[in-house]
Amino acid sequence: MDIVYIRDLRIDTIIGIYDWEREVRQTVSIDLEMASDIRKAAETDDIQYALNYKAVSKRLIAYVENRNALLVETLAEEIAQVIRTEFNVPWLRLRLSKPGAIRGARDVGLIIERGAKPGALPE
């Protein structure tokens, strides 16, 4: 299994359950690992055979900026669904955090895995 990843994608959005959180944009940070077989892209040197991390990032930014979720759990599930269906990703691990949400902690959040993790790729 090959993994394409994005680290610390920061997006401003409305998220939270408290009244003050519904009034201000907060930054969320996304780390994403996505299963992808990179062999054909490597062999052909052609982006059409790659999982395009720029396209994934742009889609996530557009989605999250406009979502206005109450819970990080909801946002994480929705992000996973978007990536798996729109980019044909069989498995992903997503870390979604809210930096500075708790005094004294750098960030808080959650990590989810969705889909079936492909076995080792044949040589």
Side-chain angles (χ1 to χ4, degrees):
M1 177 179 64
D2 303 317
I3 294 180
V4 175
Y5 71 90
I6 299 168
R7 292 275 184 265
D8 198 24
L9 179 63
R10 293 178 170 260
I11 306 169
D12 291 335
T13 190
I14 302 290
I15 188 163
I17 60 170
Y18 300 109
D19 290 342
W20 71 266
E21 290 180 301
R22 309 308 300 159
E23 305 278 328
V24 298
R25 295 183 81 73
Q26 297 180 73
T27 301
V28 295
S29 173
I30 297 170
D31 292 341
L32 186 59
E33 297 178 8
M34 301 166 285
S36 179
D37 184 344
I38 69 159
R39 290 175 296 180
K40 187 161 186 177
E43 177 185 313
T44 62
D45 205 20
D46 189 335
I47 188 68
Q48 75 174 322
Y49 301 113
L51 176 54
N52 186 331
Y53 48 80
K54 183 175 182 178
V56 171
S57 296
K58 287 176 78 170
R59 178 64 175 108
L60 288 180
I61 291 166
Y63 186 84
V64 173
E65 279 182 339
N66 296 300
R67 176 53 181 92
N68 300 337
L70 294 173
L71 299 176
V72 292
E73 291 85 349
T74 303
L75 187 57
E77 285 289 350
E78 291 175 357
I79 289 169
Q81 184 67 23
V82 165
I83 299 306
R84 292 193 64 225
T85 58
E86 294 182 20
F87 294 92
N88 197 29
V89 170
W91 171 88
L92 64 78
R93 175 181 294 129
L94 170 71
R95 179 181 172 272
L96 178 63
S97 64
K98 287 175 63 176
I102 302 256
R103 187 182 353 221
R106 186 176 69 202
D107 62 8
V108 298
L110 51 86
I111 298 170
I112 65 172
E113 290 187 23
R114 295 295 178 265
K117 202 177 222 183
L121 297 174
E123 293 296 319

